[in-house]
Amino acid sequence: MSKVEKNKKQKENSLYDAAYDLFTTKGINDTAISEIVKKAGVAKGTFYLYFKDKYDILDKIILNKSSQVLSEAIIETKNKNFTEFEKELLYFINYIIEFFKKDKLMLKLIYKNLSWGIFKKAYRDYEEIQEIYLMFERGYENTSLPKEDIEKILFIIMELTGSICYSSIILNEPANIDEMKPILFDTIKKII
Amino acid sequence: MSKVEKNKKQKENSLYDAAYDLFTTKGINDTAISEIVKKAGVAKGTFYLYFKDKYDILDKIILNKSSQVLSEAIIETKNKNFTEFEKELLYFINYIIEFFKKDKLMLKLIYKNLSWGIFKKAYRDYEEIQEIYLMFERGYENTSLPKEDIEKILFIIMELTGSICYSSIILNEPANIDEMKPILFDTIKKII
Amino acid sequence: MSKVEKNKKQKENSLYDAAYDLFTTKGINDTAISEIVKKAGVAKGTFYLYFKDKYDILDKIILNKSSQVLSEAIIETKNKNFTEFEKELLYFINYIIEFFKKDKLMLKLIYKNLSWGIFKKAYRDYEEIQEIYLMFERGYENTSLPKEDIEKILFIIMELTGSICYSSIILNEPANIDEMKPILFDTIKKII
Amino acid sequence: MSKVEKNKKQKENSLYDAAYDLFTTKGINDTAISEIVKKAGVAKGTFYLYFKDKYDILDKIILNKSSQVLSEAIIETKNKNFTEFEKELLYFINYIIEFFKKDKLMLKLIYKNLSWGIFKKAYRDYEEIQEIYLMFERGYENTSLPKEDIEKILFIIMELTGSICYSSIILNEPANIDEMKPILFDTIKKII
DNA sequence: TATGAATGAGAATTCATTCAT
DNA sequence: GATGAATGAATTCTCATTCAT
């Protein structure tokens, strides 16, 4: 990577970091581009060299951060070499929950903006994400369930986990996450 | 109600209707108060006589609209006089889904802004909402499940339904709502 | 006119005056809206209460100013009660030339932006403008020339006068206006 | 011409072509240098190696294009070997009109920016342009008209033609060019 | 010569909120 | 209570120009 390339990457990263910090602490609406560039230590025009507008950098942040969480979770899960699908899945889900318990701000930013569409995009750029689906496929390999239905079940479990995390970690509703966990795990067991 | 009172109510309602229309079609961020008052046919200052700001009227709209949907759904469900809890619940859920299939815009507005907190508020102002909980209580009356756990299950099912509606009706992901329904119903059956 | 109405008119006029001054002295491109409002002594937002953008106020200024010049010229001409069309027309043209000799800045602003379209608009709002056409009609009343052709001749003479004024008064090309006048008058005599 | 020289000329020409295309289609104000260089396929800095700013390249384009039209028109006219001045002049004028009928965009760009000053500049660089004046001189050779007056008449006719072309071809006012032509030709006949 | 990333001043525009009528 | 003109801070976004490579 040339010096120029390095410098470009550095500037882009400064912008990512600054925007992420401001989005999580002040909220998206209350963050102005002028604040992002100030915090990143670059000129205003530089922002527009890399991003179309505030929502462009937001989308890219959401994609990066959520992919990171999922990657980390699936890698850690695979390292455990589970033999049983149920245990493996619950470990994976639990890893995500514990992650978000420690990083509420990220959860807040990601959740309301995360969608299956972004998840699919992550497929391409982060190959670990594919491992999540493969885990499910292995879990259902002795059943006659068609591929699409496996995907739907995966989707339902992910959505459910996301919803519960958001409500209980951020809003403490209808109870805090530790109280919700047993019933969530129970539900997931029933689903699979 | 005096003539003056009527006039006031009328103005307030115009504002509600105008704001709802604009929020659903243009989005919340892209709707200015000046547009709301213009559409409502009242003066700018009048808005501030009834609401604090844009988010004040939004919250009230969300509360009204979501309570309306749930009220309608539970009333219709009760009218059917189901004897079996499972059938009753699925009818209720299905009613909501079919409602949102016909009114995507409302779903879009409500979902991203609905929370268990608003749901609890609705308890107070709309007594039909309490019926939803009572339906669950009856469903679990022969079990030893504590009150809080029943509430959590209700919550989980509501969140799951909301998530699935949003993804499949608005985004068609991972499949359209009619394809998702069987698997969602199956999941709910397993949960309860 | 109520106090509020008066105040509005006053603000609008301040904006007109400030914009006219800046457009003529600094040029259109180099005049910012922030300068206009500053000079007019009103807030930035006030500008947008009355005009869409810089070109909106420019168009209105062009229409006003050019109508004013033509009105003044035709009124003065009619006051002289000429009996001969040629003499009347040349007096009218000369009046315009002398006007612009004294107000080069207005000429510069108006000319490149003036068009027959604006002239037609002026017909509606300033009834004196119609007198210009009536003068021509009377001049040609004993000929069989169709109405449209009279209009075309009027147009040609107006365009020619405008062009010559602009080149010779502003650019001194190909000679100054006093040198150009005899040949212009000669040309007009030949045309009519 | 060396390879380097060729390459330079090529870049300069790309810039000319790109700028001309953008000026005619988007307008001068709405064309940014960044767009010109993008379309020309050269780097931003390269622009400043050849031109001072946007108005520098504009002036050069205007000079080139207008000289081209006039050159073409006078060459074609001379090829016809007219013996009568009136016929020769009208052929020349008509050639210009027909040219602009086919290339409205060029007319639009040139007219508002053309001046006698540019015309005089063209004298130096394009010797054919001098032929236009010579045609006039021959036309008036048997009169006692001083040189300056001949130039003024030429100027008046050129200005008039330009004005009429612009109004009737671009704006269709007060009539389309084909309706205006007879009356314009008539006027020119009277003038000479 | 040529490049194009970076700059940052500054332009246009919006809009929540106030307040005299 | 109702109005809507006025405000001006805040925000987005553009773009000519520079300069290290």
Side-chain angles (χ1 to χ4, degrees):
Chain A
M1 205 187 272
S2 76
K3 203 175 166 186
V4 174
E5 292 281 304
K6 247 183 211 161
N7 205 266
K8 277 174 69 176
K9 203 73 206 159
Q10 215 170 30
K11 291 221 185 287
E12 199 185 346
N13 284 338
S14 305
L15 285 166
Y16 272 128
D17 293 346
Y20 177 73
D21 275 9
L22 290 163
F23 287 160
T24 49
T25 51
K26 301 191 56 180
I28 297 156
N29 269 327
D30 292 339
T31 298
I33 289 171
S34 57
E35 288 176 284
I36 298 174
V37 294
K38 199 177 171 185
K39 187 161 193 154
V42 301
K44 222 177 243 180
T46 308
F47 180 91
Y48 293 94
L49 242 37
Y50 295 97
F51 308 102
K52 208 183 131 284
D53 56 26
K54 200 163 72 173
Y55 301 99
D56 184 26
I57 193 171
L58 173 63
D59 284 352
K60 283 164 182 163
I61 285 173
I62 300 288
L63 178 60
N64 282 339
K65 293 287 178 182
S66 47
S67 300
Q68 269 171 35
V69 179
L70 294 176
S71 286
E72 203 182 303
I74 194 68
I75 286 169
E76 287 294 320
T77 306
K78 287 202 72 184
N79 282 345
K80 293 282 170 186
N81 292 311
F82 287 100
T83 49
E84 211 181 317
F85 173 52
E86 190 184 285
K87 285 207 175 112
E88 190 180 20
L89 177 59
L90 292 181
Y91 183 87
F92 173 72
I93 297 293
N94 190 57
Y95 191 94
I96 293 171
I97 292 172
E98 291 300 317
F99 185 100
F100 284 136
K101 262 171 72 179
K102 283 182 216 123
D103 197 343
K104 288 187 186 190
L105 292 178
M106 193 199 286
L107 171 60
K108 206 172 170 181
L109 183 69
I110 284 180
Y111 177 61
K112 287 280 171 182
N113 297 288
L114 191 57
S115 74
W116 190 247
I118 286 183
F119 193 72
K120 275 187 176 165
K121 240 188 201 166
Y123 252 51
R124 286 201 311 263
D125 304 343
Y126 297 75
E127 53 182 286
E128 303 90 357
I129 305 295
Q130 297 177 35
E131 287 295 333
I132 301 171
Y133 175 71
L134 294 177
M135 171 175 69
F136 262 75
E137 213 169 37
R138 278 195 308 278
Y140 285 97
E141 69 190 346
N142 293 324
T143 69
S144 60
L145 222 56
K147 225 180 135 148
E148 297 82 44
D149 283 6
I150 298 175
E151 207 173 39
K152 284 174 197 157
I153 292 169
L154 164 58
F155 174 75
I156 280 181
I157 290 171
M158 297 300 289
E159 281 283 330
L160 187 58
T161 306
S163 296
I164 302 300
C165 276
Y166 188 81
S167 308
S168 55
I169 294 177
I170 307 294
L171 311 169
N172 266 312
E173 281 167 357
N176 68 51
I177 183 65
D178 291 315
E179 282 178 74
M180 290 302 290
K181 245 192 205 176
I183 214 148
L184 172 64
F185 283 3
D186 228 54
T187 302
I188 291 175
K189 278 185 211 163
K190 283 177 190 160
I191 293 175
I192 59 176
Chain B
M1 203 186 276
S2 76
K3 208 174 163 184
V4 174
E5 293 278 305
K6 247 184 210 162
N7 201 265
K8 277 174 64 179
K9 202 73 206 159
Q10 216 170 27
K11 285 204 191 299
E12 201 185 342
N13 283 336
S14 305
L15 285 166
Y16 272 127
D17 293 346
Y20 176 74
D21 273 9
L22 290 164
F23 287 159
T24 49
T25 51
K26 298 192 58 181
I28 297 156
N29 268 327
D30 292 340
T31 298
I33 289 174
S34 60
E35 288 176 286
I36 298 173
V37 295
K38 197 178 173 187
K39 187 158 194 157
V42 302
K44 236 180 210 171
T46 307
F47 181 91
Y48 293 92
L49 296 174
Y50 295 97
F51 307 101
K52 204 183 135 283
D53 56 24
K54 195 164 75 174
Y55 300 100
D56 184 25
I57 193 171
L58 173 63
D59 285 351
K60 284 165 181 163
I61 285 173
I62 299 290
L63 179 60
N64 281 339
K65 293 289 178 181
S66 47
S67 301
Q68 268 171 34
V69 179
L70 294 175
S71 287
E72 203 183 303
I74 194 67
I75 287 170
E76 286 294 321
T77 305
K78 289 202 70 183
N79 282 346
K80 293 283 172 183
N81 292 310
F82 287 100
T83 49
E84 212 181 316
F85 173 52
E86 189 185 287
K87 284 205 173 118
E88 191 180 20
L89 177 59
L90 291 181
Y91 183 87
F92 173 71
I93 296 294
N94 190 57
Y95 191 95
I96 292 172
I97 292 172
E98 290 300 317
F99 185 100
F100 284 136
K101 262 171 74 178
K102 283 183 212 121
D103 198 343
K104 290 185 182 189
L105 292 178
M106 193 197 287
L107 171 60
K108 209 173 170 180
L109 182 69
I110 285 180
Y111 176 63
K112 290 277 172 186
N113 298 285
L114 190 58
S115 73
W116 191 248
I118 287 182
F119 193 71
K120 275 186 176 167
K121 238 188 205 166
Y123 254 50
R124 286 200 311 265
D125 304 343
Y126 297 76
E127 53 181 283
E128 303 91 355
I129 304 296
Q130 297 176 34
E131 289 292 335
I132 299 171
Y133 175 70
L134 295 177
M135 171 176 71
F136 261 73
E137 213 169 37
R138 278 195 310 277
Y140 284 96
E141 69 190 346
N142 294 325
T143 69
S144 60
L145 223 55
K147 224 181 134 146
E148 298 81 42
D149 283 6
I150 297 175
E151 207 176 38
K152 285 173 197 158
I153 292 170
L154 164 57
F155 174 75
I156 281 181
I157 290 172
M158 296 301 288
E159 280 283 331
L160 186 58
T161 305
S163 295
I164 302 300
C165 275
Y166 188 80
S167 308
S168 55
I169 293 177
I170 307 293
L171 311 169
N172 265 313
E173 282 167 358
N176 68 52
I177 183 64
D178 292 316
E179 282 177 75
M180 289 304 289
K181 246 192 205 178
I183 215 147
L184 172 65
F185 284 2
D186 228 55
T187 302
I188 292 175
K189 278 184 209 163
K190 284 176 188 159
I191 294 174
I192 58 177
Chain C
M1 205 188 272
S2 77
K3 201 174 165 186
V4 173
E5 292 281 305
K6 248 183 211 160
N7 205 265
K8 277 173 69 176
K9 203 72 207 160
Q10 214 170 32
K11 291 222 185 285
E12 200 185 343
N13 284 337
S14 304
L15 285 166
Y16 272 127
D17 293 345
Y20 176 73
D21 273 10
L22 290 163
F23 286 160
T24 49
T25 51
K26 299 191 57 180
I28 297 157
N29 268 327
D30 292 338
T31 298
I33 288 171
S34 57
E35 289 177 284
I36 299 173
V37 294
K38 199 176 172 187
K39 186 159 195 156
V42 301
K44 225 179 236 179
T46 307
F47 179 91
Y48 293 94
L49 243 37
Y50 295 97
F51 308 102
K52 208 184 130 283
D53 55 27
K54 199 163 72 173
Y55 301 100
D56 184 26
I57 193 171
L58 173 63
D59 285 351
K60 284 164 183 163
I61 285 173
I62 300 288
L63 178 60
N64 282 339
K65 293 288 179 182
S66 48
S67 300
Q68 269 170 35
V69 179
L70 294 176
S71 285
E72 203 182 303
I74 193 69
I75 287 169
E76 287 294 321
T77 306
K78 288 202 72 184
N79 282 346
K80 294 283 169 181
N81 291 311
F82 287 99
T83 49
E84 212 182 316
F85 172 53
E86 190 185 286
K87 285 205 172 117
E88 190 180 21
L89 177 60
L90 291 181
Y91 183 87
F92 173 71
I93 296 293
N94 190 57
Y95 192 96
I96 293 171
I97 292 172
E98 291 300 317
F99 185 101
F100 284 137
K101 261 171 74 179
K102 284 182 214 123
D103 197 343
K104 288 187 186 190
L105 293 177
M106 192 198 287
L107 172 60
K108 207 173 171 181
L109 183 69
I110 284 179
Y111 177 61
K112 288 280 170 180
N113 298 287
L114 190 58
S115 75
W116 191 248
I118 287 183
F119 194 72
K120 275 187 177 166
K121 241 188 201 166
Y123 252 52
R124 286 199 312 264
D125 305 343
Y126 297 75
E127 55 182 284
E128 302 92 357
I129 305 296
Q130 297 176 34
E131 288 294 334
I132 300 171
Y133 175 71
L134 294 176
M135 171 176 69
F136 262 75
E137 212 169 38
R138 277 194 309 277
Y140 285 95
E141 70 190 345
N142 294 325
T143 68
S144 60
L145 224 56
K147 227 180 132 146
E148 298 82 43
D149 283 5
I150 297 176
E151 207 175 39
K152 284 173 196 157
I153 292 170
L154 165 57
F155 174 76
I156 280 181
I157 290 172
M158 296 300 288
E159 280 283 330
L160 187 58
T161 306
S163 297
I164 302 302
C165 276
Y166 188 81
S167 309
S168 55
I169 294 178
I170 307 293
L171 311 170
N172 267 311
E173 281 166 357
N176 68 52
I177 183 66
D178 291 315
E179 283 178 75
M180 289 301 290
K181 245 192 208 178
I183 215 148
L184 172 64
F185 284 2
D186 227 56
T187 302
I188 292 174
K189 278 185 209 163
K190 283 176 191 160
I191 294 175
I192 59 176
Chain D
M1 204 187 275
S2 77
K3 207 174 164 184
V4 174
E5 293 278 303
K6 247 183 209 161
N7 201 265
K8 277 174 67 179
K9 203 72 206 160
Q10 215 170 28
K11 285 206 191 298
E12 200 185 343
N13 283 337
S14 304
L15 285 167
Y16 272 128
D17 293 346
Y20 176 72
D21 273 10
L22 290 165
F23 287 159
T24 49
T25 51
K26 299 191 58 181
I28 297 157
N29 268 327
D30 292 340
T31 297
I33 289 174
S34 59
E35 288 176 286
I36 298 173
V37 295
K38 197 177 173 187
K39 188 160 193 155
V42 301
K44 236 179 211 173
T46 307
F47 180 91
Y48 293 92
L49 297 175
Y50 295 97
F51 307 101
K52 203 184 137 283
D53 56 26
K54 195 163 74 173
Y55 300 100
D56 183 26
I57 193 171
L58 173 63
D59 284 351
K60 284 165 182 162
I61 286 173
I62 300 290
L63 178 60
N64 280 339
K65 293 288 179 180
S66 47
S67 300
Q68 268 171 35
V69 179
L70 294 176
S71 286
E72 202 182 304
I74 194 69
I75 287 169
E76 286 293 320
T77 305
K78 288 201 69 183
N79 282 346
K80 293 282 170 184
N81 292 311
F82 286 99
T83 49
E84 211 181 317
F85 172 52
E86 188 184 288
K87 284 207 174 115
E88 190 180 19
L89 177 60
L90 291 182
Y91 183 88
F92 173 71
I93 297 293
N94 189 56
Y95 191 95
I96 293 171
I97 293 173
E98 291 299 317
F99 186 100
F100 284 136
K101 263 172 73 180
K102 282 182 213 122
D103 197 342
K104 289 185 183 190
L105 292 176
M106 193 197 287
L107 171 60
K108 209 172 170 180
L109 182 69
I110 284 180
Y111 177 63
K112 289 277 172 186
N113 297 285
L114 190 59
S115 72
W116 191 248
I118 286 183
F119 193 72
K120 274 187 176 167
K121 237 188 205 167
Y123 252 51
R124 287 199 311 262
D125 304 344
Y126 296 76
E127 53 182 283
E128 304 90 355
I129 305 297
Q130 297 176 34
E131 287 294 333
I132 299 170
Y133 175 70
L134 294 178
M135 170 175 69
F136 262 74
E137 212 168 39
R138 279 195 307 278
Y140 284 97
E141 67 190 348
N142 295 324
T143 69
S144 60
L145 223 56
K147 222 179 138 151
E148 298 81 42
D149 282 6
I150 297 175
E151 206 174 40
K152 284 173 196 159
I153 292 170
L154 164 57
F155 174 75
I156 282 182
I157 290 171
M158 295 302 288
E159 280 284 329
L160 186 58
T161 306
S163 296
I164 303 300
C165 276
Y166 188 80
S167 308
S168 55
I169 293 178
I170 307 293
L171 311 170
N172 265 312
E173 281 166 357
N176 67 52
I177 183 64
D178 292 315
E179 282 178 76
M180 289 303 289
K181 245 192 206 178
I183 215 146
L184 172 64
F185 284 2
D186 228 54
T187 303
I188 292 175
K189 277 184 211 163
K190 282 175 190 162
I191 294 175
I192 58 178

